[in-house]
């Protein structure tokens, strides 16, 4: 993601500080480009005495993203607003159980307790409790991981292409080939 207010990176640090009180070996990787908040987030990590447990590697290319997703146990999505976060779909594709704030379209993307855990926005205690829930309940974690992979498969271009073609036909959009990547040019799973 990015160090920008819409992604609320401070919330991740606040929740992580609570998580560290229960799990002293916890670590956090916060990747992304600075959009004005990176220094603030780093200072907050210092202030909450967790800076030595947080990595700030910058932007991940595809290779680095694959490496980090493969090494992680849980994906936190602390957004203030978002509709269809590609990073959540990517995390699901790697089998990571996702904890996301119930904002924007995220509650339509993730079904709480089925393919992710939803928490209220701005509540670090609820995020920490969700992490504890996953750590303490491997059956739930496995189910979210498995169902998250299915969500990612349903979100792949191969799966949604027909929906787009049908929509274009329905609205009378001129025939065109959708054999290439999505029009947005965004990341694919």
């Amino acid at each position: 993601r990015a160090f920008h207010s819409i992604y609320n990176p401070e919330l991740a640090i606040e929740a992580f500080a609570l998580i560290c009180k229960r799990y002293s070996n916890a670590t956090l990787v916060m990747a992304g480009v600075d959009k004005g908040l990176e220094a603030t987030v780093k200072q907050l990590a210092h202030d909450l005495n967790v800076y030595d447990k947080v990595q700030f590697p910058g932007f991940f290319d595809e290779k680095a993203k694959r490496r980090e997703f493969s090494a992680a146990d849980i994906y936190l999505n602390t957004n203030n607003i978002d509709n269809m976060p590609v990073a959540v779909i990517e995390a699901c594709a790697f089998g990571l159980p996702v904890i996301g704030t119930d904002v924007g379209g995220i509650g339509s993307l993730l079904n709480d307790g089925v393919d992710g855990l939803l928490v209220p926005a701005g509540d670090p205690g609820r995020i920490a409790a969700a992490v504890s829930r996953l750590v303490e309940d491997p059956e739930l974690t496995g189910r979210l991981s498995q169902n998250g992979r299915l969500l990612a498969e349903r979100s792949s271009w191969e799966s949604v292409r027909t929906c787009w073609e049908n929509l274009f036909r329905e609205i009378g959009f001129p025939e065109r080939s959708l054999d290439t990547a999505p029009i947005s040019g965004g990341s694919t799973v």
Side-chain angles (χ1 to χ4, degrees):
R1 309 300 311 224
F3 291 91
H4 187 280
S5 61
I6 65 170
Y7 302 119
N8 199 356
E10 299 98 331
L11 179 59
I13 295 292
E14 292 167 354
F16 183 65
L18 296 173
I19 292 163
C20 287
K21 290 178 181 179
R22 183 159 185 185
Y23 306 103
S24 60
N25 61 340
T27 59
L28 178 66
V29 177
M30 295 191 72
V33 296
D34 184 17
K35 298 287 186 172
L37 286 180
E38 187 172 359
T40 301
V41 171
K42 287 179 176 180
Q43 184 61 53
L44 181 60
H46 274 293
D47 295 347
L48 295 177
N49 298 312
V50 295
Y51 185 82
D52 60 329
K53 296 175 176 241
V54 182
Q55 296 175 41
F56 296 95
F59 177 77
F60 281 157
D61 61 18
E62 286 301 315
K63 183 178 177 182
K65 194 183 301 184
R66 288 180 188 279
R67 181 185 67 244
E68 293 298 325
F69 276 146
S70 295
D73 295 311
I74 297 170
Y75 183 80
L76 299 178
N77 187 73
T78 58
N79 293 9
N80 285 325
I81 187 73
D82 210 333
N83 290 317
M84 177 71 171
V86 172
V88 167
I89 299 297
E90 290 173 329
C92 287
F94 278 91
L96 290 175
V98 173
I99 298 169
T101 48
D102 191 5
V103 298
I106 296 172
S108 296
L109 175 63
L110 296 175
N111 295 301
D112 187 39
V114 176
D115 45 29
L117 294 179
L118 294 171
V119 296
D123 192 338
R126 292 287 292 273
I127 293 172
V131 168
S132 292
R133 187 174 169 200
L134 292 176
V135 170
E136 304 298 325
D137 188 347
E139 185 178 307
L140 172 65
T141 302
R143 192 171 61 248
L144 294 179
S145 175
Q146 183 178 16
N147 290 338
R149 284 189 189 110
L150 295 172
L151 170 65
E153 288 174 18
R154 289 191 311 270
S155 302
S156 72
W157 180 240
E158 293 79 22
S159 296
V160 300
R161 175 183 164 190
T162 302
C163 295
W164 280 108
E165 290 173 336
N166 291 339
L167 176 64
F168 287 151
R169 272 193 294 281
E170 209 175 286
I171 63 172
F173 201 74
E175 252 337 281
R176 64 174 264 164
S177 172
L178 295 177
D179 290 332
T180 59
I183 296 169
S184 71
S187 299
T188 57
V189 177

